[in-house]
Amino acid sequence: MLMKALRYVEIGKPPVVVDIPIPKPGPGQVLLKITAGGVCHSDDYVMGLPEKDYHEQGYPLPLTLGHEGAGIVHEIGEGVDSTLKVGDAVAVYGPWGCGRCHNCSMGKENYCTNAAAEGIRPPGLGSQGSMAEYMIVDDARHLVPLGDLDPVQNVSLTDAGLTPYHAIKNSLPKLGAGTVAVVIGTGGLGHVGIQILKAISGATVIALDVNDEKLKLATEVGADHVLISDASAAEKIRELTGGLGANAVFDFVGANPTIALAQSVAALEADITIVGIGGGSMTLGFGSIAYDAAVRIPYWGSRAELIEVLDLARAGKIHVQTESYTLDDGPKAYEDLASNSIRGRAVIVP
Ligand code: NAD
Ligand code: ZN
Ligand code: ZN
């Protein structure tokens, strides 16, 4: 039996839709019938890697894309020790780990200390991903109940929700009433990040982007101020904060100009969190940043945090703005991502 899958098959070429056999779940594995798969800018980063780096970083070819996934449990492999039943609606927790190390035992599989050595890779980022009609999940532990949440509407919470949630939660002690948070980049992750800040912190949110449409969306989802991200932005943030700067900056771009902006507007004791993988870097030394500011580079989030993000959605406090594409239109979703014309998050619906 064959299924459609959106795969990256040739370095430097766009992904293509192909027919491949429906996989069989091996011992301990679960086969999902996919209901939705989200399109992340990181996929574009991976497909933009030069051949040498792509292989050195352990990505296989062909690679079925998709590290945001939701589905219905279709078949359960031998020996799966779980209450999971065929027909259950689930979301995939993507940062797969070993399940045994200290971090994994705390649910922080995003920081598994064995994954690299054991070749454990997230779906769509090394293992075969969610942009197909069916997908293998390596362990029932990596499935979280979706319940009555609509999969298309909520699949992106597994990354575009979880990643900003994890980043923001770490800085919550600095984001009480009267504080200011800056969000740079109001695309897939950023527009959810703004909502999470409004839902769980007391901060006033200043959002920045280079694109007017994205700033409109930022306002719609609750940003208190929006600014074009250019050379004048730092000065405007200083004005908006009475000269003090921001208590936390979340950079969902991570390029040199945005990192420099984050560094220059960080207040005393602020947190700067660089989430975007835009290739930028920061030079630090005495006098180059406000006293006691801290810089953090997080990766994805924990399993518990995914459950919390889904709960926020269930409570109606966050909502992903989505644009749907069929699997056949999958390559178009990546074209639209590259031309920066997606409002919110693109979701592939097989
Ligand atoms: P996206 O394309 O949906 O959004 C990026 C946004 O940044 C767009 O709205 C774009 O207009 C804006 N932008 C571009 N240049 C800008 C600038 N100079 N100033 C302000 N805004 C600018 O991307 P996404 O899927 O939300 O991903 C955002 C970044 O986060 C990507 O680099 C992605 O690879 C990375 N990411 C990291 C993690 C992690 O765990 N660290 C997880 C997921 C995604
Ligand atoms: Zn991602
Ligand atoms: Zn582990």
Side-chain angles (χ1 to χ4, degrees), residues 209-221:
D209 204 291
V210 287
N211 177 306
D212 283 323
E213 277 306 308
K214 310 275 186 161
L215 288 180
K216 258 191 222 157
L217 176 60
T219 302
E220 277 170 38
V221 299

Side-chain angles (χ1 to χ4, degrees), residues 19-281:
D19 285 321
I20 56 173
I22 298 175
K24 282 294 285 177
Q29 297 180 332
V30 177
L31 182 69
L32 291 189
K33 187 169 197 325
I34 293 296
T35 45
V39 174
C40 180
H41 211 115
S42 299
D43 301 334
D44 207 45
Y45 167 82
V46 170
M47 290 189 282
L49 286 172
E51 185 153 14
K52 186 167 163 284
D53 297 354
Y54 186 89
H55 294 301
E56 267 176 19
Q57 291 177 31
Y59 294 104
L61 273 183
L63 172 67
T64 303
L65 297 170
H67 56 272
E68 295 182 340
I72 303 286
V73 174
H74 190 76
E75 195 179 332
I76 298 179
E78 227 174 275
V80 171
D81 182 17
S82 163
T83 53
L84 210 61
K85 296 183 306 295
V86 168
D88 284 354
V90 289
V92 179
Y93 172 71
W96 295 353
C98 72
R100 311 179 310 275
C101 71
H102 184 261
N103 284 343
C104 281
S105 72
M106 307 223 303
K108 301 194 299 189
E109 298 202 25
N110 51 323
Y111 297 145
C112 175
T113 49
N114 293 326
E118 295 182 12
I120 302 168
R121 305 292 301 252
L125 295 169
S127 297
Q128 302 303 328
S130 61
M131 289 180 184
E133 291 174 272
Y134 295 86
M135 168 190 167
I136 293 282
V137 175
D138 68 337
D139 195 294
R141 190 178 76 245
H142 296 142
L143 296 170
V144 171
L146 255 189
D148 54 4
L149 285 178
D150 176 65
V152 177
Q153 204 58 64
N154 293 287
V155 64
S156 295
L157 294 176
T158 58
D159 177 20
L162 176 56
T163 301
Y165 184 77
H166 171 70
I168 291 163
K169 215 181 152 188
N170 273 329
S171 292
L172 271 189
K174 297 187 181 179
L175 292 175
T179 60
V180 174
V182 166
V183 170
I184 308 175
T186 66
L189 272 65
H191 92 287
V192 185
I194 292 166
Q195 298 175 65
I196 294 169
L197 280 164
K198 296 307 287 185
I200 69 173
S201 89
T204 293
V205 177
I206 305 175
L208 288 84
D209 204 291
V210 287
N211 177 306
D212 283 323
E213 277 306 308
K214 310 275 186 161
L215 288 180
K216 258 191 222 157
L217 176 60
T219 302
E220 277 170 38
V221 299
D224 299 288
H225 306 277
V226 296
L227 296 173
I228 284 285
S229 177
D230 61 14
S232 70
E235 190 51 40
K236 289 179 182 147
I237 292 169
R238 296 239 155 249
E239 275 167 31
L240 286 168
T241 56
L244 297 177
N247 304 91
V249 183
F250 301 94
D251 181 357
F252 295 108
V253 181
N256 277 322
T258 59
I259 291 178
L261 176 71
Q263 184 170 0
S264 72
V265 302
L268 289 165
E269 301 181 301
D271 277 351
I272 294 178
T273 306
I274 301 168
V275 178
I277 51 178
S281 59

